[in-house]
Amino acid sequence: MTRLRATRRRPLKFRRSVVRDLQNRIRFAVVGLLVLIGLHVVSMIAFEHLALGEAIWLTFTTITTTGYGDFSAKTTAGRASTIVLIYLSGIFLLTQAGSAFFEFRILRRDRKRRGEWRWNMRDHIVFVNAPADEPGDYLRRLLDQLHRSHANYATVPSLILTEAFADGLPPDLEDDPLIVQLKGRFDDPAALEAAGVDHAQVLVILAEHEGDRLSDSRTFDIIHRLRERGITARIVAECVDDLNRERLKKAGASAIVRPLRGYPEMIVRAIVAPGTEWVIERLFSSEGDECLRFDVQFSGLAWERVVQAVLGANYGIPIGYADGEGNPHSNPAPNTAIDATALFILVGERQATTDLALRKLISAITP
């Protein structure tokens, strides 16, 4: 494990040294240029007997190759100083500074594209790993749902920590300014630090293979490492095997969801409304609460009267209905007059709700 960490740190150190080298080249060229300008100004005052302002003017018009001609070096010493300080050294250093600057800009843009940039983000969302199959499509749908939620996540940036995108973010994600990538692994402390996990508001650990139970072991390792760093942010983790849920919770997971690739909304619910992912998961299963359809026809009843009657009879919680054409509707306004052919009711394990019982109940409250 020690050797693995060491090999993971070297590339980051090397890449940072490339940036430092370019920065040092720019600094050296700029400082050298300022020194040469100062020496030339002094030489113009000493050899050409110009005033300070005139010497500065002559130096800058010469170094920028403007050459207005109102002042010029006339003595041999002054001309020699101009040749050495400006034409040979000054223009060379100016060219070097410009070259290093544009090279740095190109390198920075390329490193950002390839996920090798230290972003220094705060209050962001960190996604650790990416699905093995169609990662760009899944993450695009997940982030679209997150940005469209009503929980003020529309402008929250996201960082994806993964090695899945060797050539940069896929086309589905690369044009979104709120999404960036960092190429790295969860077991590399330098990558975790560069991802800003200590300053993230939510961390989401995705299972690379939704059917691979071994991914739960990697998820456990990630959670343990994050909590070991002292991170207190919420951690949403995908769990393949339900038997591992309690283990992941003890490791420090704040919320656990199944890796349902067809429903990225599950992760979004866990981020924006903690606890709702558990409620929704129960609706996907046949254990605990179930959302069932009951064929009950009625017309003109206010939705609030229907809800009160069903709740009062302990038949469950009505959450929607089907109209006369069979179209489903959810959570209508309380005073909405309902024309229904069926009710969708959240029923618990101990509630023996039937079509016949509901028909009798609705018939009793119908005017």
Side-chain angles (χ1 to χ4, degrees), residues 123-128 138-139 141-147 149-154 156-159 200-206 233-238 254-257 264-278 280:
D123 297 325
H124 56 301
I125 299 174
V126 175
F127 291 90
V128 182
Y138 174 77
L139 289 168
R141 288 185 290 118
L142 190 159
L143 290 164
D144 283 345
Q145 288 290 325
L146 180 64
H147 295 161
S149 70
H150 303 298
N152 298 322
Y153 278 84
V156 175
S158 299
L159 183 145
Q201 60 173 292
V202 182
L203 296 108
V204 181
I205 305 171
L206 300 174
R234 294 183 60 250
I235 298 178
V236 177
E238 287 188 333
S254 308
I256 298 174
V257 299
E265 295 83 0
M266 294 295 293
I267 293 290
V268 175
R269 291 298 95 205
I271 294 174
V272 304
T276 55
E277 79 286 345
W278 178 83
I280 295 173

Side-chain angles (χ1 to χ4, degrees), residues 47-304:
F47 300 134
E48 301 297 330
H49 306 291
L50 297 177
L52 177 61
E54 296 171 342
I56 293 175
W57 173 256
L58 174 58
T59 298
F60 277 95
T61 55
T62 304
I63 201 170
T64 56
T65 67
T66 304
Y68 287 105
D70 48 353
F71 295 100
S72 62
K74 296 181 175 58
T75 65
T76 302
R79 290 174 177 175
S81 299
T82 300
I83 292 173
V84 173
L85 296 176
I86 300 299
Y87 293 140
L88 296 183
S89 302
I91 295 177
F92 171 77
L93 287 174
L94 188 62
T95 303
Q96 288 296 309
S99 172
F101 174 75
F102 287 112
E103 189 176 343
F104 173 76
R105 297 262 310 203
I106 293 172
L107 176 65
R108 182 177 64 175
R109 184 172 63 247
D110 186 57
R111 287 186 62 194
K112 286 182 177 181
R113 182 187 62 81
R114 290 187 285 114
E116 298 171 355
W117 187 257
R118 185 179 292 271
W119 296 95
N120 296 322
M121 300 172 70
R122 301 184 72 91
D123 297 325
H124 56 301
I125 299 174
V126 175
F127 291 90
V128 182
N129 296 331
D133 299 323
E134 301 294 335
D137 175 69
Y138 174 77
L139 289 168
R140 177 71 276 164
R141 288 185 290 118
L142 190 159
L143 290 164
D144 283 345
Q145 288 290 325
L146 180 64
H147 295 161
R148 288 202 299 266
S149 70
H150 303 298
N152 298 322
Y153 278 84
T155 58
V156 175
S158 299
L159 183 145
I160 305 169
L161 176 62
T162 180
E163 291 185 323
F165 308 130
D167 298 322
L169 289 173
D172 295 328
L173 302 172
E174 63 180 353
D175 294 329
D176 193 329
L178 292 176
I179 304 170
V180 298
Q181 176 209 0
L182 180 68
K183 190 185 299 181
R185 288 175 51 90
F186 69 89
D187 54 6
D188 183 356
L192 292 177
E193 183 179 350
V197 295
D198 302 295
H199 306 294
Q201 60 173 292
V202 182
L203 296 108
V204 181
I205 305 171
L206 300 174
E208 294 180 351
H209 301 278
E210 58 180 316
D212 183 7
R213 296 183 177 183
L214 291 177
S215 65
D216 289 346
S217 298
R218 292 189 287 272
T219 300
F220 177 87
D221 192 10
I222 297 170
I223 296 172
H224 178 72
R225 289 174 184 272
L226 293 173
R227 293 305 187 196
E228 203 175 40
R229 287 177 65 95
I231 291 174
T232 58
R234 294 183 60 250
I235 298 178
V236 177
E238 287 188 333
C239 179
V240 176
D241 190 343
D242 286 345
L243 297 177
N244 292 323
R245 284 179 169 249
E246 192 62 32
R247 180 168 171 255
L248 295 181
K249 284 184 178 180
K250 290 181 179 179
S254 308
I256 298 174
V257 299
R258 290 188 180 93
L260 302 174
R261 294 294 173 253
Y263 294 92
E265 295 83 0
M266 294 295 293
I267 293 290
V268 175
R269 291 298 95 205
I271 294 174
V272 304
T276 55
E277 79 286 345
W278 178 83
V279 174
I280 295 173
E281 275 198 355
R282 285 175 66 86
L283 300 181
F284 277 100
S285 69
S286 297
E287 301 174 357
D289 302 319
E290 285 191 89
C291 182
L292 301 178
R293 175 189 172 115
F294 297 92
D295 293 324
V296 182
Q297 293 187 2
F298 58 89
S299 178
L301 279 179
W303 178 248
E304 60 183 348

